């Protein structure tokens, strides 16, 4: 179990030069809290594997837990205090873009910041590295597949009301214009919405063939249940670029018909690297472990990326890390990956829900 971070200014207790301390920022509350346990477990596994070897340049890698589900300003203030107090040497983790947008300027390039969530693209803050999928590599080829393979070009967009859904929707508008498609309706709801009745009424009236879901965690669960209850799953495809096994389990097998996604990792993807990771995860955490999924696995990716960056740079100096990061290539559960323009270049796959599992259809171009 990773300990919750505590701020001790000056020379914090337990802080030694033999350790590299990383703030692991993951959601422990709110709609995205459903992802927290798997994020924590995957990051912990990565740290244990690093430490079972030589550590990071001979230093033990230690994780300090920060609740990324708290209000963004609160998260940023806590991380700022941890860095200023010399408590942590780096920051990593999965949290929504609304948190990243506030955290990145507060870090201001003082330490490496590895952001592991799929996101809307365009992050250029100093010292930020990103392991997640972006719309050009994930949403665009998915929409093209729907158009080419299923003839689906008429979409309604339903998203939570913050930066990732709105920015992704703008990208979807562009991609659909390229395909001769259209957005029939577009609507946003507050995080934590419970009643999707008015939204579903508009979906039904929109004349769309499919719904682009840009909803987070618990919001996606409630939307999926209500979608089926309204009978919309009989005639409409749902596609979300942020949905995984936790959401499938909470949604229930009767409510996943016509539900699809794309991601860089699926537990059911039969690759050697993926199967090896799943086996290691199972051995470490046992049959009652948090369900393995792409968002949790991204935190494993984040710890690995941070480790590889520091090893290549020979330390934690930010100028050296930035100078040597480009083109860095290594092996992870997602296969062979490479850092390009501070983003992780990786394969992305399309999958359809089959009850409570994902049926991986193909790699996207």
């Amino acid at each position: 179990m990773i300990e919750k971070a505590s701020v001790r200014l000056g020379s914090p207790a337990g802080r030694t030069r033999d350790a590299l301390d990383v703030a692991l920022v993951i959601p422990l509350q709110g709609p995205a809290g459903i992802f927290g346990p798997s994020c924590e477990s995957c990051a912990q596994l990565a740290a244990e594997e690093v430490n079972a070897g030589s550590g990071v340049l001979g230093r033990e890698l230690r994780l300090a837990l920060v609740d990324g589900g708290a209000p963004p300003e609160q998260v940023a203030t806590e991380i700022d205090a941890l860095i200023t107090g010399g408590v942590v040497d780096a920051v990593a983790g999965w949290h929504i873009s609304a948190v990243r947008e506030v955290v990145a300027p507060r870090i201001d390039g003082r330490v490496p910041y590895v952001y592991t969530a799929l996101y809307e693209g365009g992050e250029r803050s100093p010292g930020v590295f990103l392991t997640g999928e972006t719309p050009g590599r994930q949403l665009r080829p998915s929409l093209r597949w729907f158009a080419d393979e299923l003839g689906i070009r008429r979409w309604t967009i339903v998203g939570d009301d913050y930066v990732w859904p709105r920015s992704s929707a703008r990208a979807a508008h562009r991609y659909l214009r390229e395909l001769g498609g259209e957005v029939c309706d577009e609507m946003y709801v507050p995080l934590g919405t419970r009643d999707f009745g008015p939204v579903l009424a508009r979906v039904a009236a929109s004349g769309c063939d499919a719904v682009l879901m840009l909803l987070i965690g618990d919001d996606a669960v409630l939307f999926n249940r209500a979608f089926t209850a309204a009978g919309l799953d009989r005639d409409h495809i749902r596609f979300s670029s942020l949905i995984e096994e936790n959401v499938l389990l909470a949604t229930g097998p009767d409510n996943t018909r016509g539900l699809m996604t794309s991601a860089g990792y699926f537990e059911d993807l039969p690759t050697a690297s993926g199967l090896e990771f799943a086996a290691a995860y199972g051995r470490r955490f046992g049959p009652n472990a948090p369900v393995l999924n792409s968002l949790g696995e991204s935190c494993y990716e984040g710890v690995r990326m941070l480790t590889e960056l520091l090893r290549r740079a020979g330390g934690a100096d930010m100028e050296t890390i930035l100078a040597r990061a480009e083109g860095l290539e290594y092996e992870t559960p997602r296969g062979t990956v490479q850092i390009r323009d501070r983003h992780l270049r990786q394969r992305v796959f399309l999958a359809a829900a089959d009850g409570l599992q994902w049926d991986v259809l193909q790699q996207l171009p």
Side-chain angles (χ1 to χ4, degrees):
M1 192 73 173
I2 301 170
E3 292 185 2
K4 186 75 168 65
S6 59
V7 181
R8 298 175 181 271
L9 300 180
S11 299
R15 190 81 164 88
T16 73
R17 292 183 179 180
D18 295 330
L20 181 89
D21 291 281
V22 180
L24 178 67
V25 188
I26 59 175
L28 305 178
Q29 60 180 301
I34 192 173
F35 309 133
S38 56
C39 287
E40 181 177 354
S41 295
C42 288
Q44 182 178 345
L45 176 61
E48 290 175 356
E49 290 179 351
V50 168
N51 291 332
S54 59
V56 184
L57 302 174
R59 299 168 68 185
E60 178 190 7
L61 191 153
R62 302 192 305 197
L63 300 176
L65 196 59
V66 174
D67 182 7
E73 285 290 349
Q74 179 180 326
V75 179
T77 297
E78 182 173 357
I79 293 172
D80 185 14
L82 290 169
I83 296 171
T84 301
V87 179
V88 299
D89 305 286
V91 177
W94 191 103
H95 35 279
I96 66 174
S97 290
V99 173
R100 185 199 77 251
E101 283 198 320
V102 180
V103 166
R106 296 287 288 275
I107 295 176
D108 194 29
R110 289 178 290 167
V111 299
Y113 173 23
V114 179
Y115 182 65
T116 75
L118 66 94
Y119 86 115
E120 64 280 0
E123 176 61 70
R124 292 292 182 267
S125 299
V128 181
F129 292 86
L130 307 107
T131 73
E133 304 89 339
T134 54
R137 305 277 295 183
Q138 182 187 28
L139 181 56
R140 186 179 192 176
S142 297
L143 292 176
R144 180 169 293 280
W145 185 90
F146 283 111
D148 293 345
E149 299 298 325
L150 303 181
I152 292 175
R153 290 180 170 84
R154 294 171 55 82
W155 290 80
T156 285
I157 299 173
V158 179
D160 281 314
D161 192 6
Y162 73 99
V163 59
W164 169 70
R166 287 188 174 274
S167 296
S168 297
R170 286 194 292 272
H173 277 272
R174 296 196 305 272
Y175 302 151
L176 287 171
R177 283 196 297 270
E178 295 172 0
L179 299 169
E182 64 176 302
V183 175
C184 301
D185 198 357
E186 183 173 352
M187 60 201 94
Y188 298 93
V189 299
L191 284 162
T193 291
R194 309 290 297 178
D195 179 12
F196 285 94
V199 170
L200 294 172
R202 284 176 59 177
V203 171
S206 70
C208 69
D209 301 312
V211 175
L212 175 58
M213 290 174 51
L214 301 172
L215 299 166
I216 295 289
D218 291 339
D219 293 0
V221 170
L222 294 177
F223 179 84
N224 283 330
R225 293 175 181 173
F227 195 88
T228 299
L232 292 172
D233 64 323
R234 292 193 295 266
D235 302 308
H236 298 79
I237 292 290
R238 283 164 290 166
F239 173 78
S240 172
S241 50
L242 199 165
I243 194 168
E244 42 66 83
E245 285 79 355
N246 284 295
V247 172
L248 285 187
L249 288 170
T251 293
D254 296 332
N255 302 311
T256 61
R257 178 170 58 177
L259 181 60
M260 300 184 68
T261 191
S262 57
Y265 171 83
F266 290 95
E267 182 182 6
D268 295 319
L269 187 65
T271 63
S273 56
L275 292 172
E276 182 179 343
F277 171 69
Y281 184 85
R283 287 193 301 269
R284 173 61 182 84
F285 298 108
N288 297 319
V291 61
L292 194 54
N293 60 84
S294 61
L295 307 188
E297 190 275 341
S298 79
C299 289
Y300 182 97
E301 296 287 338
V303 173
R304 280 296 315 280
M305 177 186 275
L306 179 62
T307 301
E308 297 298 332
L309 285 168
L310 293 170
R311 285 173 174 167
R312 188 173 201 181
D317 176 71
M318 282 303 305
E319 287 190 11
T320 307
I321 291 172
L322 291 169
R324 298 184 180 178
E326 187 67 13
L328 175 59
E329 187 173 287
Y330 54 97
E331 296 295 321
T332 79
R334 300 190 180 207
T336 302
V337 297
Q338 187 179 71
I339 296 176
R340 289 290 182 187
D341 193 24
R342 293 190 282 140
H343 289 70
L344 196 68
R345 186 66 61 86
Q346 60 190 292
R347 299 175 298 174
V348 177
F349 300 88
L350 183 72
D354 180 9
L356 298 179
Q357 294 182 311
W358 292 111
D359 178 14
V360 181
L361 303 179
Q362 67 176 70
Q363 181 177 338
L364 292 170

